[in-house]
Amino acid sequence: MRRGVLLAALAALTLSAACAPSVPGSSGSSGGQQSAPSDRLTIGTTADVLNYNPLVGNSRTDSWVTNLMYPHLTQMDMTGKRVPYLATEWSYAEDGKSATVRLRDDMKWSDGKPVTADDVVFSVMTVKKENFGVVAGLITALDEAVAVSPTEVRFDLTRPDGTFLDNVGFWLPVVPKHVFEKAPSVQKFANDSDWVSAGPFKLTKVERGQRYVMERVDGFGPGTPAVKEVVFRVFPDVNTEVLALRNGEIDVIGNVLPPATAAELKNDPSVKQEQIPSLGWAHLQYNVKRKPLDDVRVRQALAHAVDYEAIRNIALKGYAKSSNSSVLTPSLPEWADPASKEYTFDPALSKQLLAQAGVSDLSLSMIYDQADPNIARWAPMVRDSAKQAGITIKLQGLERNTYVDKSLKHDFDIYAGSWAIMDNPPANLGLAFKTGGYINYGQVSDPKLDALIDEAQKALSVEEAKPPIQEAARLIRDQVYDNVLYVETFNVAHNTKWTGFKPMPSELLSIVNPLSLAAAKPAG
């Protein structure tokens, strides 16, 4: 699920390499290497902050900056398991129709007011009332949130929903009620100055197109960060970031490295790469409302016309693994179905299936984000392997906003893309494959699938939810409602002079997350 989620809108900058900004203690554009002070951690990014409202912001840099300013109830460990943050404990009532969360009592907003249950209630009920963003799609079971005490919130649900606490805990940023309630519409509130925040760092300086400076918050509840200052520097592209990392101008490249770049940096002694498993997947979705894609045999023919191993080995340089053609990937071992097998690359079988469907001279268009370096590499491979099955695929590499617009409007034959975080199968499959789901781009509408997902969502434990969700995943595979190509292994690079980072799965969290940056410190 893309952060902000689901569709992370990456702002393309038009700066030239010669205009790469400098910060105090760096070499700037002069090219001379100079060590940054050990109390400053400098992170490279390729996009500006687009929105400072954490309930709305949806670019990668948005989330990196606002996640350091606004707490979530929970964070995530390397395995995807929820760990306490603002919340200390959480549980469901026996009937599953209410849930309770207990909060820390030592977190404060930057204006000195305490972070309380009222802030949590305001945040979640505002999203419900104004009905915006992915969080709204994840909390459909919510009836009312109630502040039982300053440190306890009760969520009353309209139905049992075993996905609710995971969803609201991890995805909902908590904002200060006394600030945000003054806006006529929270959804339209820019929050672009005079920030009142409650994270390990506070935003103190913005130079758009150049840098964002954040200062440490001493006495922060979960723990005072080791580093005094975090600076996000904006670069035009990854290649310029790599040069800056090697020159000592930055300490971390925030965005994950393209596989080819990761391979090139592998033997650089000044650079350490952290490998991070993805909780999402790269995939092809077929618009099942368009003929002849409404015929499962045509979708199966397309699935057998993809050379999955070649994509992983050539386009991804081996930094990817098979998902076994399942939406329950190996990154979530407690959910994965070991019986699922990857579609075979078999052009002859594709031709046979098309003949059975009475389809000849099949010609389809495939949209993808032209700025995505991985998909830009493997999209031509999908086209070329399909040719071997007599299928013509016309590639449409699109500017990001156009791509997103076409996806939301279901204006495509084949959609090539990737989900960043799909960490809770009952919730995520509901969003992606239930009739009318928020990110159901392929327009899947299958009553049996809907019923299985509903059954899994009502379950209050993995043990209860696993049988119906595995059956749902098998149905998605067999009907080719999604064609999962691979699960990427991400590489994030940082200078060897730094240590202590806490990687989290997915490219959106990587090592640029609140727990990680609060723990980062100079090596030695």
Side-chain angles (χ1 to χ4, degrees):
M1 183 165 46
R2 295 174 191 275
R3 177 128 167 125
V5 142
L6 302 162
L7 295 169
L10 302 181
L13 301 178
T14 57
L15 302 176
S16 68
C19 294
S22 62
V23 296
S26 77
S27 61
S29 58
S30 65
Q33 187 167 348
Q34 189 175 10
S35 298
S38 60
D39 58 1
R40 178 188 300 123
L41 180 70
T42 305
I43 302 169
T45 179
T46 55
D48 267 301
V49 175
L50 302 179
N51 199 314
Y52 296 94
N53 183 335
L55 297 172
V56 177
N58 62 357
S59 83
R60 186 171 295 147
T61 310
D62 287 358
S63 64
W64 287 342
V65 171
T66 59
N67 279 351
L68 297 177
M69 300 167 65
Y70 300 96
H72 293 235
L73 292 171
T74 61
Q75 292 289 335
M76 184 186 290
D77 67 12
M78 186 61 165
T79 68
K81 181 182 177 181
R82 304 299 193 264
V83 295
Y85 199 60
L86 174 56
T88 58
E89 54 184 299
W90 49 92
S91 62
Y92 289 100
E94 193 171 326
D95 64 0
K97 295 191 70 174
S98 68
T100 300
V101 171
R102 289 180 173 80
L103 311 177
R104 304 180 66 100
D105 62 3
D106 58 353
M107 289 183 67
K108 295 181 182 295
W109 297 108
S110 53
D111 62 2
K113 295 182 182 296
V115 179
T116 71
D118 285 336
D119 297 306
V120 177
V121 169
F122 171 80
S123 301
V124 71
M125 292 305 295
T126 295
V127 169
K128 174 180 170 62
K129 178 182 176 182
E130 297 190 23
N131 193 30
F132 64 92
V134 174
V135 173
L138 293 170
I139 59 170
T140 55
L142 178 64
D143 180 30
E144 193 75 28
V146 179
V148 178
S149 76
T151 57
E152 184 175 335
V153 181
R154 187 185 73 245
F155 301 99
D156 295 326
L157 309 178
T158 59
R159 64 179 187 276
D161 182 359
T163 72
F164 179 82
L165 283 173
D166 266 10
N167 290 334
V168 75
F170 180 72
W171 290 106
L172 178 76
V174 177
V175 298
K177 176 184 177 182
H178 62 283
V179 175
F180 279 61
E181 69 180 349
K182 297 174 183 177
S185 167
V186 169
Q187 183 179 1
K188 296 177 181 178
F189 179 42
N191 190 42
D192 55 1
S193 63
D194 301 321
W195 298 282
V196 175
S197 59
F201 297 91
K202 59 183 178 181
L203 184 60
T204 57
K205 189 172 186 178
V206 170
E207 295 176 5
R208 186 165 176 79
Q210 296 189 59
R211 65 176 185 169
Y212 299 79
V213 180
M214 307 189 75
E215 294 182 2
R216 176 173 70 190
V217 174
D218 293 324
F220 177 63
T224 298
V227 64
K228 291 182 179 179
E229 185 177 81
V230 169
V231 178
F232 288 89
R233 281 186 57 189
V234 183
F235 291 87
D237 52 52
V238 174
N239 291 334
T240 315
E241 286 181 312
V242 170
L243 180 62
L245 180 66
R246 283 176 155 166
N247 285 343
E249 296 179 43
I250 62 175
D251 304 300
V252 176
I253 295 178
N255 39 290
V256 300
L257 300 175
T261 305
E264 291 171 6
L265 284 175
K266 195 172 183 180
N267 297 317
D268 189 325
S270 68
V271 175
K272 178 174 174 56
Q273 293 189 48
E274 304 279 356
Q275 289 205 332
I276 299 167
S278 173
L279 288 181
W281 62 79
H283 59 148
L284 299 172
Q285 281 194 288
Y286 309 111
N287 193 337
V288 301
K289 295 297 185 184
R290 287 192 177 181
K291 292 185 176 300
L293 295 169
D294 59 340
D295 189 321
V296 65
R297 293 168 296 184
V298 174
R299 300 195 299 273
Q300 289 171 341
L302 287 163
H304 286 292
V306 178
D307 191 338
Y308 304 95
E309 188 172 356
I311 287 174
R312 292 191 292 267
N313 289 336
I314 298 172
L316 275 296
K317 303 294 184 183
Y319 292 118
K321 55 188 175 183
S322 173
S323 75
N324 302 314
S325 292
S326 175
V327 292
L328 301 177
T329 73
S331 297
L332 296 173
E334 63 182 352
W335 295 99
D337 183 357
S340 187
K341 303 298 180 186
E342 185 170 78
Y343 299 117
T344 56
F345 173 45
D346 191 339
L349 178 56
S350 292
K351 291 178 180 179
Q352 181 182 337
L353 287 163
L354 290 175
Q356 291 174 5
V359 174
S360 59
D361 300 321
L362 181 61
S363 179
L364 301 166
S365 63
M366 184 173 86
I367 66 169
Y368 66 96
D369 178 2
Q370 64 186 5
D372 187 309
N374 288 346
I375 298 180
R377 282 177 176 268
W378 57 252
M381 298 177 68
V382 172
R383 176 197 61 198
D384 295 345
S385 63
K387 281 182 183 177
Q388 299 180 47
I391 301 169
T392 299
I393 293 180
K394 300 174 182 176
L395 301 182
Q396 290 185 306
L398 305 172
E399 179 272 330
R400 178 72 189 177
N401 290 336
T402 304
Y403 167 72
V404 170
D405 186 60
K406 281 183 171 288
S407 303
L408 293 172
K409 292 179 178 177
H410 317 291
D411 184 14
F412 61 85
D413 295 325
I414 305 173
Y415 160 93
S418 62
W419 298 135
I421 301 180
M422 298 295 256
D423 62 315
N424 186 323
N428 303 146
L429 299 194
L431 288 170
F433 302 107
K434 271 191 68 175
T435 303
Y438 185 79
I439 52 172
N440 185 352
Y441 297 155
Q443 302 189 84
V444 175
S445 183
D446 185 326
K448 182 179 180 181
L449 181 58
D450 289 350
L452 287 168
I453 294 172
D454 284 343
E455 183 183 349
Q457 289 183 347
K458 291 176 184 176
L460 301 182
S461 68
V462 173
E463 290 72 27
E464 288 180 87
K466 190 172 181 177
I469 213 64
Q470 286 191 337
E471 187 177 348
R474 287 190 287 270
L475 184 59
I476 292 167
R477 180 203 178 277
D478 295 345
Q479 292 294 315
V480 201
Y481 291 144
D482 202 352
N483 185 4
V484 185
L485 307 182
Y486 59 82
V487 178
E488 187 173 355
T489 300
F490 296 122
N491 289 277
V492 180
H494 64 85
N495 194 299
T496 54
K497 295 178 180 178
W498 288 86
T499 188
F501 296 106
K502 293 186 176 181
M504 290 187 187
S506 100
E507 62 179 323
L508 294 177
L509 301 172
S510 66
I511 61 173
V512 188
N513 64 71
L515 295 180
S516 181
L517 296 187
K521 59 184 179 181

